Each structure stands twice: as structure tokens, then as C-alpha cells.
Amino acid sequence: MKRTEIKTLLLNAEVGAKVNVKGWVRTKRGSKNVAFIALNDGSVIHNLQVVVNFESIDESALANVNTGASISVDGEVVASQGSGQKVELVAEKLEVLGAADPEKYPLQPKKHSLEFLREIAHLRFRSNTFGAITRVRHSMIFAVHKFFTDEGFFNIHTPIITGSDAEGAGEMFRVSVLDPLKLPMTEDGKIDYKKDFFGRETNLTVSGQLEVETACLAMGKVYTFGPTFRAENSNTSRHLAEFWMIEPEIAFADLDEDMELAERFIKYLIQYALDNCMDDLQFLSQRLIESEKDKKAEEKSMELIEKLRFVLNNSFEHVTYTEAIDILKNSNYNKKKKFQYPIEAWGTDLQSEHERYLVEKHFQKPVILTDYPMGIKAFYMKQNDDGKTVRAMDVLFPQIGEIIGGSQREDNYDKLVTRMKSQGIPETEMWWYLDTRRFGSVIHSGFGLGFERLMLFVTGMGNIRDVIPFPRTPQNAEF
Ligand code: 4AD
Ligand code: MG
């Protein structure tokens, strides 16, 4: 018999139909004459209840039906009397495909901590929480491509191995085939990268922006969606060493159009989740409520689905960096020294505590901060006429802090070269990037959305390690 997925069965199966299902056992409980198996096959958050009557199936067939075992069941769909679903399956034939020794199987049918699940990342797909996250993650990936396709953008595969440091922050992972114990040296005592695979120093990319800009200045509207790598030693719940970023780039568009695109894009993704992932969101909402049940009322998060709707129904607040510094400086938080990093002078970078204060306490909705001091932003950002600030924008979200970073790009060749010189970025290596400003340069803008930060927001999870299948963080690359 052809297999029916549990999602399809729960949606469409008619009482009386004969079907085959395959999946992994979540729980088994029973009495003298009958056993109940909760079966999950990953297609949907809900389990299918399989009823085994010992009159028709010998009890010995259940010997290896334990949590974690994979089984195949032929049976008849019947109306359910209380499994939480409309239908259940009365087994007529049951086969164990792969047993799971209950003494050794790490995932017991009880609540496991997220920390423990991280240690068994290869099995955590089988937990309700990670199953839900995996399905939502897929939907968000699809929605990203759908949004840009519908808007007439072209997807560009930018390189993962690169010779340039797009953000100029020097936080890159080297890519080399040289033997670290026998490094070839030049006459002046430096490592001779001419002998390396690419004949030059190469790294994993921190961003596809520079390459996607070159495509933008021919194709008009483009985006890249790829893995990016940062060797920053930030062991926080918001940072990964390997994360996925969506970077659109639009020609003939200034910062205002860039911000408009960013807001519309994020809202589209959230709406898509509400329209297509409601079962999983409801589960995740319940999970969040339970995980916060011991918190004081004022410390509890907004209910997940309400929070998603709230973002959809409010326009993002636009504030300049300079205005934000004034707000922060004059805040009670600052005066009462509640910030770990007190706000002192104009020109320093904001910490996530400051970003969250602006979003959660002051404006109480998403904020787009613009026009940052030149000194704390990347070389490619468009300089303002004041000679001090650049046309940068960061989108700040509750609980997350920065979810998007973007800017209008410096399209003036001379200004760009001066900026690169002052930041010590070698012009010779960036000749191809500079060419775009020498030949047919136009105003253009773009941004990067951190995909896992979006996932944190949409799922209500608190740690970025729990929204990517196999997290890479300092001192951790298991699996
Ligand atoms: O602000 P960032 O560094 O911007 C860029 O890389 C630009 N080249 C984007 C562009 O204009 N095309 O990073 C963009 C976003 C951040 O806002 C954040 O959401 C995410 O990427 N991000 C990280 N996410 C997880 N772990 C990290 N270590 C991250 N660093 C940045
Ligand atoms: Mg940034």
C-alpha cells in the first residue's frame, strides 16, 4: 500500500479509508486489551493516534514499539474519540522498521531542556519544538524567494570563498590548503600565499554584498541568500559564526526606498508565517507561555501570535542616530546608571541594551535608526553632506535588537577611494568593485537580513542556537 503522510491523513482522510503510514513512535501507552501509539512523521506537528487491539494484532508485535522506533502501520481510519484529532488509525498490520533501545535512546517522552537538545542536535529534529522550528524555517526560506520573485528580483549566487573583507572588520575564517607546519615563506618573512590553492589569501565570506552590487548595476534588482561566516568571538544568544543572510540590492534607489523595501519584506515574511504555519506557531506560542510561567507578569513576553500581528499593524519608527543618542542620554535608565555601557559621547556604537531600550521601552515598536557616525560603519556607505555621518540604517526589533543592517552605497568614485584609504582597505584588491563606480555608476542601496534573527522573532525562541539545525559558535562545531 502506498504511504500516506500524517499531515494529509489528518486533513483529508475519510473515515473507513484503508491507509499505510510510516513514522517514529513518540509514545506508547496501553491497557490489557489495547495499546495507543502516538506516531509522528515530521510532516506536521500533530501525532497520529494508532490504536492496536490485541484481538486482531498479537501483543508480541509491540515488543519493539518504543519511543524512537520507526514503524509502518496498515489500518483503517476511524473517527477519534478523544485523541485531540478528528481521526485515528486502527491497526490491521504493524511492522517495526527500526528498533530503538529504550535504555539507550536519549529522547525520552518527557520535557527536555533546550540545552540538552543542543547536545543531541542529530536527534532533536524528532522533538516537537525543533520539528516546528524546522517547518517554519522552510516556509520562511520559501517566502524569501517568493517575495523577491514576485517583485521581479533576480537571485544571485555570490561566492562563499572570497579574497575581500566586505565589512572591513577583519573577522574572517581563512581558507587555505597550506600545511600549517610547513608554511612557505617569502624572502621578507611573510607567508607566501602565491603557493596556496588560489595563489592569494582567501577567506569565507562575511557578506555577499560587494559581489551582489556588481550584479545590481546591470540587473537592477537582485538579492543573494547564502551562508556567511564571522570569526567574531561573541558567545551570545544572538550570534553565530555561520549564519544565513538575505541581501537585496536595488539600483536607482536611495535610503528611503531601501527602508521601505526592508519594512515591506519583513512584514511579508511575518504575514506568510501567519498564513502558512499557524499549527506550528500555536505550538510555539504555548511553549513560550510555559517556559515563562515562573516569570513576573511584567517580565513575560507578549503572546507570540499577538506579537507578530502587532508588528504587521504598526509602521516602523524612523529615528536618526543623533536623535537616538539624545533619547538614551536623557533616559532614566542612563541617569540611574542601569546601562552596563553608559551613554557618553556622540560617535560611539550602540550596544544591544541601548537598541532594546529604544525599541522595547521608549518607542515600543520596531525602529529604524539612520545616519550613523561614519567612524563606526563600513567603508561602502554613502557619506552625508555633514561630513560626519553616513546613509546607514539598522532595523531594530524587540527582544532581538538589530535584525537588518543596510545602507545607501557610496556611488562617488573619489569619495569611496578616500574612505578606503583611510580605513586601510587595499585598493588594488578591490579594483573590480571600484570599476562599478568608474563605469555607469548610479545611486543604489541594499541591506542584509540575518535569517536566524528573523527566525528568533517569528518562533519566539530565545537562543539563536535553537533556530538553525547545526549551530556553529566559538568552541563548538559538533555534528
Ligand atoms: O549589519 P551587517 O554586518 O551587514 C552586512 O553584512 C551588510 N553587508 C548587509 C548589506 O547591506 N548587504 O549584517 C546584516 C545582518 C545583521 O543585521 C544581523 O541580523 C545579521 O546580519 N548578523 C548576524 N546574525 C547572526 N550571527 C551573527 N554573528 C551576525 N552578524 C550579523
Ligand atoms: Mg550591522
Side-chain angles (χ1 to χ4, degrees):
M1 214 189 300
K2 196 169 168 286
R3 171 181 167 231
T4 303
E5 286 191 338
I6 291 174
K7 178 180 181 177
T8 315
L9 196 155
L10 293 178
L11 267 180
N12 309 325
E14 287 177 14
V15 169
K18 301 273 188 182
V19 297
N20 168 265
V21 295
K22 294 183 173 71
W24 293 266
V25 175
R26 285 291 171 81
T27 56
K28 177 184 71 176
R29 56 193 176 78
S31 60
K32 229 169 117 211
N33 309 316
V34 63
F36 300 99
I37 301 167
L39 193 69
N40 191 282
D41 68 358
S43 60
V44 63
I45 184 90
H46 309 296
N47 299 328
L48 174 69
Q49 170 143 297
V50 176
V51 184
V52 182
N53 292 311
F54 298 152
E55 281 160 28
S56 46
I57 291 185
D58 194 78
E59 201 176 347
S60 64
L62 291 181
N64 282 323
V65 177
N66 296 311
T67 298
S70 49
I71 62 171
S72 171
V73 185
D74 291 349
E76 182 178 330
V77 177
V78 301
S80 174
Q81 275 133 39
S83 69
Q85 303 302 329
K86 274 205 253 93
V87 294
E88 53 195 46
L89 190 68
V90 175
E92 290 167 358
K93 191 174 146 209
L94 188 152
E95 186 189 347
V96 174
L97 303 173
D101 184 343
E103 301 290 311
K104 299 196 177 119
Y105 186 62
L107 260 183
Q108 291 305 314
K110 59 161 196 175
K111 244 202 159 37
H112 288 294
S113 71
L114 294 169
E115 289 80 5
F116 172 73
L117 290 176
R118 265 172 237 152
E119 289 167 17
I120 51 161
H122 59 305
L123 293 173
R124 70 175 170 167
F125 290 103
R126 298 182 185 190
S127 66
N128 280 331
T129 300
F130 210 71
I133 288 163
T134 303
R135 283 182 296 271
V136 173
R137 190 174 164 111
H138 170 79
S139 285
M140 292 295 90
I141 295 167
F142 179 76
V144 166
H145 290 300
K146 177 149 172 55
F147 174 84
F148 286 121
T149 304
D150 290 352
E151 296 248 338
F153 281 66
F154 300 104
N155 179 231
I156 308 295
H157 283 154
T158 49
I160 289 167
I161 300 173
T162 165
S164 49
D165 180 357
E167 294 302 301
E171 293 166 331
M172 308 218 285
F173 290 101
R174 178 160 292 140
V175 175
S176 173
V177 296
L178 295 177
D179 179 349
L181 296 177
K182 278 185 287 181
L183 288 173
M185 305 301 275
T186 60
E187 276 171 12
D188 47 357
K190 296 199 174 112
I191 296 170
D192 187 1
Y193 284 107
K194 286 214 168 57
K195 304 246 164 61
D196 206 344
F197 190 91
F198 296 105
R200 59 176 300 157
E201 229 183 308
T202 48
N203 295 287
L204 295 178
T205 190
V206 296
S207 153
Q209 179 193 325
L210 302 189
E211 288 91 352
V212 98
E213 273 189 57
T214 67
C216 174
L217 295 185
M219 311 298 292
K221 291 187 288 190
V222 296
Y223 71 108
T224 177
F225 183 178
T228 47
F229 306 86
R230 296 196 185 177
E232 52 188 336
N233 203 2
S234 309
N235 225 333
T236 80
S237 57
R238 312 270 177 273
H239 288 86
L240 289 165
E242 176 178 299
F243 63 99
W244 290 71
M245 199 183 347
I246 299 129
E247 296 181 271
E249 193 73 27
I250 42 180
F252 316 109
D254 62 11
L255 192 70
D256 289 335
E257 280 180 69
D258 202 33
M259 291 190 285
E260 187 274 328
L261 178 69
E263 181 166 343
R264 203 151 44 79
F265 177 47
I266 290 210
K267 286 182 170 173
Y268 178 90
L269 296 176
I270 291 173
Q271 185 68 57
Y272 193 92
L274 288 170
D275 291 344
N276 295 276
C277 309
M278 199 37 107
D279 277 1
D280 288 317
L281 292 181
Q282 274 167 351
F283 171 83
L284 290 165
S285 163
Q286 212 48 48
R287 189 209 70 84
L288 183 61
I289 289 167
E290 271 164 41
S291 75
E292 294 188 338
K293 68 175 185 295
D294 297 331
K295 284 193 176 176
K296 285 188 227 135
E298 66 268 24
E299 285 170 5
K300 288 190 205 281
S301 323
M302 194 188 278
E303 191 275 326
L304 180 62
I305 292 159
E306 187 188 333
K307 180 189 81 175
L308 297 179
R309 294 218 169 97
F310 177 81
V311 168
L312 285 183
N313 296 334
N314 283 281
S315 44
F316 298 0
E317 190 77 34
H318 290 220
V319 192
T320 66
Y321 167 92
T322 305
E323 288 163 350
I325 288 288
D326 283 341
I327 292 168
L328 290 166
K329 222 187 205 161
N330 296 323
S331 67
N332 275 335
Y333 253 59
N334 200 47
K335 289 180 184 150
K336 290 187 183 151
K337 301 204 164 25
K338 278 202 197 165
F339 287 131
Q340 194 188 342
Y341 298 90
I343 292 286
E344 277 149 11
W346 187 95
T348 53
D349 210 355
L350 297 181
Q351 302 293 328
S352 76
E353 57 174 347
H354 306 134
E355 297 174 341
R356 291 183 59 172
Y357 176 86
L358 290 169
V359 173
E360 290 165 25
K361 299 269 186 309
H362 191 83
F363 290 107
Q364 298 187 333
K365 59 175 171 161
V367 172
I368 311 188
L369 275 192
T370 62
D371 302 287
Y372 283 77
M374 198 186 299
I376 57 172
K377 287 291 182 188
F379 70 94
Y380 51 70
M381 295 187 179
K382 176 92 186 151
Q383 296 172 38
N384 277 320
D385 292 337
D386 63 9
K388 295 196 307 195
T389 57
V390 286
R391 298 247 73 193
M393 63 115 171
D394 278 6
V395 180
L396 311 179
F397 258 43
Q399 277 137 24
I400 314 288
E402 181 189 338
I403 193 164
I404 281 184
S407 67
Q408 186 171 329
R409 316 309 190 188
E410 183 54 78
D411 50 290
N412 179 290
Y413 178 87
D414 294 323
K415 284 190 179 162
L416 186 58
V417 169
T418 311
R419 197 71 208 294
M420 284 168 69
K421 280 210 178 92
S422 75
Q423 298 210 353
I425 294 164
E427 253 171 88
T428 45
E429 281 172 24
M430 300 287 268
W431 64 272
W432 53 272
Y433 183 71
L434 286 168
D435 262 6
T436 57
R437 275 58 170 179
R438 298 204 308 149
F439 308 120
S441 184
V442 298
I443 290 176
H444 63 291
S445 304
F447 62 80
L449 168 68
F451 186 61
E452 285 73 22
R453 299 224 178 141
L454 171 84
M455 281 296 297
L456 280 177
F457 188 72
V458 171
T459 61
M461 298 299 289
N463 193 312
I464 202 162
R465 292 164 181 79
D466 297 326
V467 295
I468 186 167
F470 299 104
R472 298 288 177 256
T473 50
Q475 299 299 311
N476 170 37
E478 192 73 57
F479 309 104

